[in-house]
Amino acid sequence: MLLNKCHCLLVTISLFFISPIIYAWNQVGHKVVAQIAYDNLTPAAQQQVNQLTQIISTYYSKQASFIDSAIWADSLMQRDIKTFNTWHYINLPINQKGKHRQYYAKINVVWAIINAQSILSSHASNNFEKSLFLRFLIHFVGDVHQPLHAANLYSKRFKYGDRGGNLFLIKNRDAKNLHAMWDRCFTLSNRKYQSAKAIIQLANQLQNKYPKAYFGQALQITSPMQWAKESHTIAKDFVYTAQYNRPLTRAYQQQGQLICQQRLTLAGYRLAIMLNSIF
Ligand SMILES: [Zn+2]
């Protein structure tokens, strides 16, 4: 489904007023997904994404590169632009004794990826639209691989869901709740990876640790809903083994960090496959 012109206009106007902040994977997470994707683009695809990235960058110079533009979608929320809020996640329910109404919004991260994909592939879209939706796509392919962007826990404590771990408190110096901890991939602080060089190094480390062969068949899965379901399964089987309002165990943090690193790397490879096929 194509987004109508009003939405595009709204975003165009808002571009002049926004500043960067963090939601979902933090800035490091989103940038490293973009970097891994960029590293795996064909020269033709690289050339096209470079051109498209430049169009929006005229309005928003702070995030002028393909890598930096990965965090742009989160900065819209900071300016209280609510139109795109549900595009970042899909609340697939995890039910622990839940008997309450459970649903997820139809306009969700899976929809957003498919929408962006179709706009980028369509001859009917102009380059401004493509530039805009390329930014969305880079960001949302990252988001859907964060386990807590595809899960909502219903339990005795959370009768109406825990908002993807946002209400699930933990005792930790770096993060107040489970969602925030997974967003920062446990150890990837924005302060530590501020420079473009640091992101490139991290992307190289992750690709060396998890080369494409590591993921095997998983790289052939091109359905965003399947990606969301993978995230949901990880949330169900591992993420929510954390204890509410308690410190995370060392074992949990180590395992969680590995899972995060794998999800970031996989997201980067899958984004590259998608962009190579579009361009
Ligand atoms: Zn997001």
Side-chain angles (χ1 to χ4, degrees):
M1 193 190 306
L2 295 179
L3 193 77
N4 65 37
K5 298 276 182 201
C6 294
H7 281 133
C8 287
L9 183 63
L10 172 71
V11 175
T12 312
I13 293 164
S14 69
L15 291 172
F16 294 98
F17 302 103
I18 50 190
S19 65
I21 55 111
I22 315 131
Y23 288 99
W25 292 119
N26 63 3
Q27 295 191 1
V28 185
H30 279 294
K31 285 183 188 177
V32 85
V33 168
Q35 184 69 56
I36 292 169
Y38 195 78
D39 292 346
N40 288 278
L41 291 180
T42 62
Q46 269 189 359
Q47 201 190 355
Q48 292 210 49
V49 300
N50 286 344
Q51 282 170 2
L52 286 177
T53 306
Q54 283 314 307
I55 296 172
I56 294 268
S57 301
T58 312
Y59 304 97
Y60 199 52
S61 57
K62 274 186 187 165
Q63 288 150 15
S65 72
F66 180 86
I67 312 303
D68 288 342
S69 72
I71 60 173
W72 173 79
D74 278 341
S75 64
L76 296 176
M77 289 200 269
Q78 174 70 354
R79 283 289 165 179
D80 213 20
I81 297 165
K82 298 192 174 80
T83 312
F84 311 104
N85 280 8
T86 67
W87 295 29
H88 296 254
Y89 58 86
I90 179 165
N91 273 338
L92 300 176
I94 292 175
N95 198 339
Q96 294 177 357
K97 301 189 178 132
K99 46 183 182 271
H100 301 274
R101 194 165 73 101
Q102 299 172 18
Y103 73 97
Y104 57 88
K106 287 209 172 80
I107 304 299
N108 56 53
V109 67
V110 170
W111 172 90
I113 292 169
I114 294 168
N115 187 37
Q117 207 179 356
S118 76
I119 287 169
L120 284 166
S121 308
S122 168
H123 294 298
S125 319
N126 64 38
N127 281 343
F128 185 86
E129 287 170 306
K130 287 187 178 182
S131 180
L132 191 64
F133 281 87
L134 175 61
R135 287 185 168 220
F136 278 133
L137 185 69
I138 300 166
H139 184 88
F140 295 137
V141 171
D143 274 349
V144 79
H145 284 82
Q146 208 276 48
L148 286 173
H149 274 248
N152 198 16
L153 176 69
Y154 292 83
S155 66
K156 217 169 164 185
R157 186 186 306 279
F158 303 113
K159 289 181 182 168
Y160 303 100
D162 77 338
R163 298 179 60 203
N166 277 293
L167 302 179
F168 197 111
L169 302 179
I170 54 169
K171 289 216 185 304
N172 189 280
R173 192 189 53 184
D174 299 318
K176 289 192 173 72
N177 62 63
L178 210 49
H179 190 103
M181 186 48 113
W182 282 80
D183 273 355
R184 74 195 302 282
C185 199
F186 294 80
T187 56
L188 301 181
S189 73
N190 287 329
R191 200 180 302 166
K192 198 168 151 196
Y193 295 92
Q194 263 176 0
S195 69
K197 197 176 153 196
I199 295 293
I200 290 170
Q201 281 172 349
L202 178 61
N204 288 339
Q205 280 167 14
L206 291 177
Q207 289 177 90
N208 289 335
K209 192 171 176 184
Y210 301 111
K212 282 186 186 160
Y214 176 87
F215 297 106
Q217 298 281 331
L219 285 179
Q220 284 164 31
I221 300 170
T222 54
S223 152
M225 186 49 121
Q226 283 307 114
W227 301 344
K229 285 182 177 171
E230 288 169 2
S231 287
H232 178 256
T233 301
I234 294 168
K236 186 157 59 83
D237 294 347
F238 181 77
V239 176
Y240 284 112
T241 59
Q243 300 289 307
Y244 182 77
N245 213 13
R246 301 282 292 275
L248 301 172
T249 65
R250 199 190 186 103
Y252 181 96
Q253 295 192 57
Q254 284 170 347
Q255 181 67 14
Q257 202 185 332
L258 290 180
I259 293 171
C260 275
Q261 289 175 355
Q262 289 163 11
R263 296 301 284 167
L264 290 172
T265 315
L266 184 57
Y269 288 146
R270 282 173 168 169
L271 178 58
I273 290 169
M274 192 178 262
L275 292 174
N276 282 336
S277 101
I278 294 171
F279 299 113

